[in-house]
Amino acid sequence: MNPPKLLGRAAVKTVVAISVLYTLLPALWLVLAAMKDRDALFGSEILSLQGFSPLKNLKDLFAMDKGIYGHWYLNSLLYAVGGAAVSALVSIACGYAFDKYVFRHKEKLFGLVLAAVMVPQTVLALPLYLLASGTGVVDTVWAVFVPVLFNPFGVYLGRVFSQGYVPGEVIEAARIDGAGELATYFRVSLRMLGPGVVTVFLFQLTAIWNNFFLPMVMLSNQKLYPVSLGLYSWNSAATTSPEYYPVVIMGSLLAVLPLVVAFALLQRFWRSGLTAGAVK
């Protein structure tokens, strides 16, 4: 074996190992810390067997502030799962239209969609707040739910998936058989675009679930908070009330689980979706 090749492989494996540790160590710390009581946390005894109280932490989490964490969790599921599902369907439909139909100024409009991808979400927070204030939906579910329904990057992916998964010949055959445009899309094209829908859904699910700034701007009623904003408020209160620290850590661990479950269940579709158009 050539020594330079061995050194190259060793360097690659070292970089991969460091990357894996860099990714997993915070998650490992979160799991271990969520199992400890307050004294063990403040005593930096995360790796010891002392102060092991996961059930108490879990019970305290759902009992703190009259069980408001359960409201936050359900809110996050509503915002993230519902918003991601609607956003994925809308994005895929828009991308399909950009790919398969010819209309005036199509490429210019698609250029605007691509430009919107580069706009940071924090820049849009104030205009969105003003729009929500003008329509009277500030501090309601709609103020957080509606803005996440359109995803410019999802539209771009929808066009890519449509180019890779839906042959024009299939659409022409459906039209010859007498199917209308809506029937062709829902009965033929949308089934082929299944991996694309799942991929956009997962991207949007992660973005909405971790979204913090938009709910902070739009909401003042704590019962409407998502998990991210609720845990932030508890973490701020922990500086004066240390009993919040164990429940914040346990709550953070539970907040990760839906994303892990979603990626585990849908990874087969997601991985196939990432190769759209790579092989024809």
Side-chain angles (χ1 to χ4, degrees):
M1 183 69 69
N2 194 346
K5 290 185 177 181
L6 290 177
L7 292 175
R9 290 184 179 180
V12 170
K13 291 180 180 179
T14 301
V15 172
V16 170
I18 293 174
S19 301
V20 171
L21 289 175
Y22 179 81
T23 303
L24 294 182
L25 283 179
L28 178 61
W29 183 92
L30 180 62
V31 172
L32 295 176
M35 305 299 165
K36 300 295 182 177
D37 59 20
R38 188 177 63 185
D39 295 334
L41 287 175
F42 288 130
S44 299
E45 298 175 353
I46 302 298
L47 298 178
S48 69
L49 297 178
Q50 299 178 357
F52 189 77
S53 59
L55 295 180
K56 181 179 182 301
N57 291 343
L58 192 63
K59 181 179 178 181
D60 292 343
L61 172 65
F62 286 97
M64 185 67 70
D65 293 346
K66 299 180 180 180
I68 198 171
Y69 182 82
H71 288 282
W72 296 342
Y73 213 88
L74 291 177
N75 291 338
S76 287
L77 289 175
L78 171 63
Y79 300 146
V81 178
V86 176
S87 177
L89 293 174
V90 171
S91 298
I92 291 296
C94 292
Y96 173 85
F98 273 116
D99 175 44
K100 300 304 180 186
Y101 296 116
V102 177
F103 50 89
R104 191 176 183 183
H105 303 308
K106 181 176 80 169
E107 295 304 326
K108 292 180 180 178
L109 292 174
F110 189 70
L112 291 176
V113 172
L114 295 181
V117 174
M118 297 180 286
V119 178
Q121 293 299 312
T122 52
V123 175
L124 300 176
L126 180 57
L128 288 174
Y129 176 81
L130 295 176
L131 288 173
S133 178
T135 54
V137 297
V138 172
D139 205 23
T140 67
V141 171
W142 303 110
V144 179
F145 187 78
V146 173
V148 301
L149 297 184
F150 177 73
N151 179 13
F153 184 65
V155 176
Y156 166 74
L157 289 180
R159 186 173 186 177
V160 173
F161 286 122
S162 179
Q163 292 171 345
Y165 278 90
V166 185
E169 295 81 0
V170 174
I171 298 176
E172 291 299 327
R175 290 169 178 168
I176 292 173
D177 289 339
E181 296 300 326
L182 288 178
T184 300
Y185 176 71
F186 285 106
R187 295 180 182 178
V188 180
S189 302
L190 189 57
R191 295 182 180 182
M192 296 180 177
L193 291 169
V197 174
V198 173
T199 302
V200 176
F201 172 81
L202 287 175
F203 278 124
Q204 193 70 346
L205 176 71
T206 304
I208 300 173
W209 188 270
N210 295 325
N211 193 7
F212 170 79
F213 194 68
L214 181 65
M216 184 178 68
V217 171
M218 294 291 188
L219 303 176
S220 58
N221 183 357
Q222 284 198 354
K223 290 188 176 181
L224 298 177
Y225 282 5
V227 168
S228 57
L229 185 57
L231 291 177
Y232 172 79
S233 66
W234 275 0
N235 189 56
S236 300
T239 56
T240 56
S241 303
E243 65 271 13
Y244 279 102
Y245 277 116
V247 297
V248 167
I249 295 174
M250 177 59 77
S252 299
L253 177 62
L254 294 185
V256 176
L257 295 182
L259 298 181
V260 175
V261 171
F263 274 86
L265 294 178
L266 301 175
Q267 64 174 331
R268 177 169 61 91
F269 301 99
W270 178 56
R271 286 186 297 180
S272 63
L274 289 179
T275 60
V279 178
K280 287 190 176 181

